[in-house]
Amino acid sequence: MTTTEPTSVGLSEKAHTLLSSMKEDGYISELTDGYKLAIGLALANGMTPGEVPAPKRTILAVSGLDPEQEIATAIRSLVDLGEGSVYRYAERLAEWGVMEMAARFKSGFLDVAALIKNPKR
Amino acid sequence: MILKTLSLQNFMPYKGQTSLNFPTEKDRNVMLVYGDNMRGKTSLLNGIRWAFYGNALGRHSRPIPLLDLINKEAASEGDWSMEACITFEADGHNYELRRRAKRRPLVTTPSRSEDFEVLRALSKDGIPLGDHLIDAEINRYAPEQISRFFLFDGELLQEYESLLIDGSEQGKKIKDAIEQVLGVPTLIRGRDDAQTILKAAQKLQSVDLQRLGGFEIQAQKQKTLQAQIEALEEDVARLNGNLKRTKEERLVLEDFLEKTESVYQAKERLNAAQKLEQANSERQTALSIERLGLIKDAWRELIRPSITLKRNEIYAQHDALTGQLLDRNKIETKISQLREALKTDTCQTCGQALHQEQKDVASNELSALENELKNLSFDMTAMQRLSSQIQSLDKLLKPSEAARIEFIDRDLARLRIEQTKHDNEIESLTDLIKGQDTAEISRKRNLRDGLLKEETRIEEDIKKSQYAIDKDRNDLAIIGKALENNPQARAARSSKVVNISSALERVYTRSIDRLREDLKTKVESLASEAFKKLTTQVKYSGLRINSNYGLTILDEHNQEVTIRSAGAEQIVALSLIDGLAHAGRSPGPVVMDTPFGRLDPKHRANILTYLPSTAQQLVLFVHEGEVNKTTDMRQISQKIGCVYEIKEVNPRHSKIDRVTQ
């Protein structure tokens, strides 16, 4: 059975607000960058995230987020999805990652270098 | 001349009435007036100067406007009158000189010096003298031209150092002042008069020669040269006037610029800080943009360790499958060889024919291998899948520059700290120059620079004109010499006048040179005597004077000492002043304002011992840093006639208390 992949992905209202603030504050130039960073952070932490809390806001087209399916490859390589949708899983990873990034904001500064050095809490 | 009293009313910081009694006893002729900086020591000196000559001098010996002499506090209370009165004794007569400035009628609040009228009165033994006699009477005992040598301040001592620098503007001014003291201008004026007479005579001579006939060419030449000289002299006079005006204008600007120097410097620093801040800001923007670009790929760095592990795992699976494939290939090759051997009855290795026994062995081996091959399964799809996964993961693991983010963050942090420093500096400098017209300061600075260039240009023009005048005069002299040899021309009356006035001019010129040489020798000798008393270096043999009246120290071998300390400069300057004071007038009082600034205790002691013995009175306006009330005073305690102290009532009001009776 082939899983139908979504054409767009999103976040919870709260995570969306946080990610938008990061863009407004100039820490990321596009929401896509923050979204990918959040997925990367969650994967690096080996998280098995829960569902995205409702209400969910669709914010990105999958074709824009992952035009070469690199994110999908990374997720599939690191997570046994079974029959599950990779981009639905990506959404859950992003949700966790955005919340984690917000928690790690040190004096209002998103220290990406520190995230790279020590992704795990 | 002996000073007796000084009374000031509303003069500079001395609000109301202030009086001083000078020491009049011959053996106790030193007066000390102590006062901290900004309390009014120089104002006292100016009080004496204003009483005598009606002017007061500020920095760089520039006149202080009358409006600035009146005590500000008294003026704010509506009292716009000011007075200085000095009493002195000279040649057995008692004098009282009073100068008073008051607001002109119909002026309510004076805003310029012209809003005041100045009155003066001099009485001799109680009898008032007519106004037309006052200047002559003052000049008998305290000529204004030499006042800078008996009424002087510490700043003046520094000016004397410029006498050693050839061509310095200040040196030229002081040289003129010195020559004024020594009487050289009297002879210079005589020479100028002789030149005027000579010129007039040469004109007449030209007319006469034309009349005589046969001398038309010389007469015409003479006339042309005279006209040229006159035109050139007019040019020089005009240029000198321009030079004077330009200098005056520049000095006013210099004063303004000096006062606003700190504002100008602050503005320059502000501009520099703003430029640095802008460069910093641009660098931060560039780094931030680069950082944002790197963040796009940062997610790859986050998963790089996990993906690397995964890739290694898949690689291991892939390797295992590859091993299986190789084993299978080996068996297949062996089967193929056995089958061929059985088919051809020939060994595939050595090419010899196979016996039955060997064939049986080969047949058994073939069966066993075929069974083994049947049991060896190989998943080609898995192999392809793993290869594809490896390829995808390798793509994810391609190198990124996201690691540079750390360095950029470090740079940005450093730049932000620098920016804060710049911002703080900009803020404080902006506060400092708030309300100041910095554009006007820059404009005046440019104007000053322009005037300096203009001065150089005018000076060059004067030199050129002066050179042309000298050349024309020389040509005139050659014509004159030629005419002297001609009996007919010599007989003309005008030629005789020319000869006489020419001789007179030469006499004056030679006399000026001789007087200068004599005076220099005299000043050199007097200054050397003073120097030997004042210096603490016993090996110094004296001083040598140069053409500018600058003095160089001589060592024990009469060799010039080229390097000298600031203190030594001051001693040399004091020696020169002492020499000039004695060469230019009869002994009188010496009033010194802050004269010991750079001197050590031994030099101070020498001065305090020497000067009271050469001056009739020695009045010293000092601060405690210059003359120690206990140690220095001990040196001259026997000589001290009185001590005063200036005390501040408020920044616009000082008073003087007598410390000793």
Side-chain angles (χ1 to χ4, degrees), chain B residues 197-455:
Chain B
I197 295 166
L198 177 64
K199 245 191 291 178
Q202 280 170 334
K203 270 188 188 170
L204 270 178
Q205 190 186 36
S206 303
V207 176
D208 282 353
L209 290 175
Q210 264 177 339
R211 270 196 222 123
L212 278 172
F215 296 99
E216 289 82 359
I217 296 171
Q218 287 92 329
Q220 190 52 46
K221 253 190 181 173
Q222 236 184 5
K223 221 173 158 182
T224 311
L225 287 169
Q226 281 158 3
Q228 271 178 11
I229 290 172
E230 268 179 26
L232 285 166
E233 280 175 345
E234 272 174 31
D235 269 0
V236 170
R238 182 180 50 77
L239 286 169
N240 273 322
N242 286 350
L243 185 63
K244 196 179 164 202
R245 274 193 298 280
T246 312
K247 272 186 182 160
E248 278 168 3
E249 209 179 315
R250 176 176 58 85
L251 287 173
V252 171
L253 288 173
E254 297 277 14
D255 255 8
F256 172 84
L257 291 172
E258 202 172 294
K259 280 180 200 156
T260 55
E261 180 63 19
S262 60
V263 176
Y264 176 78
Q265 292 298 342
K267 175 69 180 153
E268 288 291 294
R269 271 165 42 218
L270 177 63
N271 289 346
Q274 280 170 336
K275 268 188 196 162
L276 286 172
E277 203 271 344
Q278 196 188 341
N280 180 306
S281 181
E282 282 168 6
R283 180 75 189 132
Q284 281 192 52
T285 307
L287 285 173
S288 298
I289 291 169
E290 190 186 349
R291 186 178 187 274
L292 285 174
L294 294 172
I295 283 178
K296 283 182 193 296
D297 266 349
W299 69 277
R300 290 178 197 277
E301 291 303 316
L302 282 167
I303 59 169
R304 187 179 292 277
S306 315
I307 294 292
T308 307
L309 275 176
K310 186 70 190 173
R311 183 182 171 282
N312 292 343
E313 191 184 299
I314 295 172
Y315 240 115
Q317 289 174 19
H318 188 271
D319 280 352
L321 277 179
T322 309
Q324 279 179 19
L325 187 62
L326 283 173
D327 289 348
R328 196 181 164 85
N329 283 344
K330 273 184 201 164
I331 293 169
E332 278 175 349
T333 309
K334 189 72 183 167
I335 288 172
S336 165
Q337 282 175 344
L338 287 170
R339 276 183 186 154
E340 191 60 28
L342 288 171
K343 195 176 150 190
T344 58
D345 291 338
T346 311
C347 175
Q348 295 298 301
T349 312
C350 62
Q352 289 184 2
L354 293 175
H355 302 291
Q356 189 55 46
E357 197 180 330
Q358 288 167 320
K359 279 187 198 173
D360 293 341
V361 172
S363 182
N364 288 340
E365 194 180 350
L366 179 64
S367 302
L369 285 171
E370 280 171 346
N371 279 335
E372 194 181 338
L373 188 65
K374 265 183 205 161
N375 294 331
L376 263 183
S377 63
F378 178 72
D379 190 348
M380 188 50 104
T381 321
M383 178 86 168
Q384 281 168 350
R385 186 172 42 82
L386 289 174
S387 291
S388 162
Q389 275 182 345
I390 287 170
Q391 213 176 353
S392 302
L393 293 179
D394 278 346
K395 208 174 151 195
L396 280 174
L397 288 171
K398 72 180 178 192
S400 87
E401 288 194 46
R404 238 184 76 71
I405 291 174
E406 188 182 353
F407 298 104
I408 291 178
D409 284 347
R410 235 181 269 160
D411 262 6
L412 281 170
R414 180 182 55 77
L415 288 167
R416 283 189 195 109
I417 292 168
E418 278 176 18
Q419 190 182 28
T420 309
K421 279 186 199 160
H422 295 322
D423 287 346
N424 290 342
E425 194 182 2
I426 288 168
E427 198 181 319
S428 70
L429 289 168
T430 308
D431 277 352
L432 200 70
I433 61 171
K434 205 171 175 181
Q436 303 280 350
D437 192 346
T438 50
E440 178 67 1
I441 295 171
S442 294
R443 196 185 68 79
K444 287 196 168 164
R445 217 176 165 82
N446 290 336
L447 209 60
R448 188 272 317 266
D449 293 346
L451 288 172
L452 261 175
K453 279 185 195 156
E454 178 71 2
E455 275 175 40

Side-chain angles (χ1 to χ4, degrees), chain B residues 50 54 64-70 82 101 113-114 116-118:
Chain B
W50 195 71
I64 302 173
L66 192 57
L67 186 67
D68 294 337
L69 296 180
I70 293 193
M82 169 180 86
S113 299
E114 290 75 16
F116 294 91
E117 60 180 337
V118 180

Side-chain angles (χ1 to χ4, degrees), chain B residues 528 531-543 552-565 568 571-572 603:
Chain B
S528 288
F531 179 73
K532 280 188 256 180
K533 298 264 173 42
L534 296 176
T535 185
T536 51
Q537 178 53 268
V538 287
K539 285 190 175 172
Y540 288 157
S541 61
L543 298 168
T552 316
I553 301 172
L554 299 176
D555 63 15
E556 70 269 40
H557 308 297
N558 260 11
Q559 296 294 310
E560 293 191 352
V561 178
T562 48
I563 299 166
R564 53 198 205 194
S565 66
I571 291 295
V572 171
H603 277 114

Side-chain angles (χ1 to χ4, degrees), chain B residues 391-659:
Chain B
Q391 213 176 353
S392 302
L393 293 179
D394 278 346
K395 208 174 151 195
L396 280 174
L397 288 171
K398 72 180 178 192
S400 87
E401 288 194 46
R404 238 184 76 71
I405 291 174
E406 188 182 353
F407 298 104
I408 291 178
D409 284 347
R410 235 181 269 160
D411 262 6
L412 281 170
R414 180 182 55 77
L415 288 167
R416 283 189 195 109
I417 292 168
E418 278 176 18
Q419 190 182 28
T420 309
K421 279 186 199 160
H422 295 322
D423 287 346
N424 290 342
E425 194 182 2
I426 288 168
E427 198 181 319
S428 70
L429 289 168
T430 308
D431 277 352
L432 200 70
I433 61 171
K434 205 171 175 181
Q436 303 280 350
D437 192 346
T438 50
E440 178 67 1
I441 295 171
S442 294
R443 196 185 68 79
K444 287 196 168 164
R445 217 176 165 82
N446 290 336
L447 209 60
R448 188 272 317 266
D449 293 346
L451 288 172
L452 261 175
K453 279 185 195 156
E454 178 71 2
E455 275 175 40
T456 314
R457 192 189 62 73
I458 297 174
E459 277 166 354
E460 279 302 308
D461 287 351
I462 290 174
K463 255 190 212 166
K464 278 183 201 158
S465 299
Q466 203 58 56
Y467 177 77
I469 289 171
D470 291 345
K471 192 178 169 298
D472 285 351
R473 280 202 181 126
N474 199 34
D475 290 349
L476 265 181
I478 292 167
I479 295 171
K481 201 81 187 160
L483 293 172
E484 258 180 48
N485 296 331
N486 186 295
Q488 203 187 350
R490 205 168 51 218
R493 187 178 173 276
S494 56
S495 293
K496 287 177 183 162
V497 179
V498 167
N499 290 341
I500 293 167
S501 46
S502 174
L504 191 61
E505 195 239 343
R506 283 197 296 275
V507 167
Y508 269 117
T509 306
R510 279 202 292 271
S511 302
I512 290 166
D513 292 342
R514 219 155 114 186
L515 178 64
R516 272 190 177 135
E517 280 314 307
D518 289 351
L519 288 173
K520 265 190 263 173
T521 311
K522 193 176 173 188
V523 171
E524 185 183 73
S525 158
L526 288 167
S528 288
E529 282 311 304
F531 179 73
K532 280 188 256 180
K533 298 264 173 42
L534 296 176
T535 185
T536 51
Q537 178 53 268
V538 287
K539 285 190 175 172
Y540 288 157
S541 61
L543 298 168
R544 180 175 292 153
I545 201 160
N546 68 15
S547 58
N548 286 336
Y549 299 90
L551 292 165
T552 316
I553 301 172
L554 299 176
D555 63 15
E556 70 269 40
H557 308 297
N558 260 11
Q559 296 294 310
E560 293 191 352
V561 178
T562 48
I563 299 166
R564 53 198 205 194
S565 66
E569 296 280 5
Q570 210 167 338
I571 291 295
V572 171
L574 273 169
S575 306
L576 174 64
I577 288 165
D578 189 64
L580 290 167
H582 287 94
R585 63 163 189 156
S586 54
V590 173
V591 184
M592 294 173 151
D593 174 22
T594 326
F596 301 121
R598 295 184 289 189
L599 295 174
D600 56 41
K602 281 183 184 168
H603 277 114
R604 285 205 303 266
N606 284 359
I607 293 169
L608 290 170
T609 314
Y610 173 71
L611 287 181
S613 65
T614 61
Q616 281 203 306
Q617 286 166 304
L618 178 63
V619 181
L620 297 169
F621 300 141
V622 292
H623 55 74
E624 280 186 52
E626 279 183 291
V627 175
N628 189 289
K629 276 183 177 169
T630 48
T631 52
D632 291 322
M633 294 273 266
R634 212 177 294 136
Q635 313 266 350
I636 48 162
S637 57
Q638 301 300 314
K639 286 272 181 187
I640 294 173
C642 54
V643 179
Y644 285 87
E645 200 168 317
I646 304 171
K647 286 181 178 161
E648 183 190 72
V649 178
N650 64 47
R652 295 184 300 170
H653 184 180
S654 294
K655 61 173 189 159
I656 300 177
D657 290 340
R658 187 165 177 142
V659 180

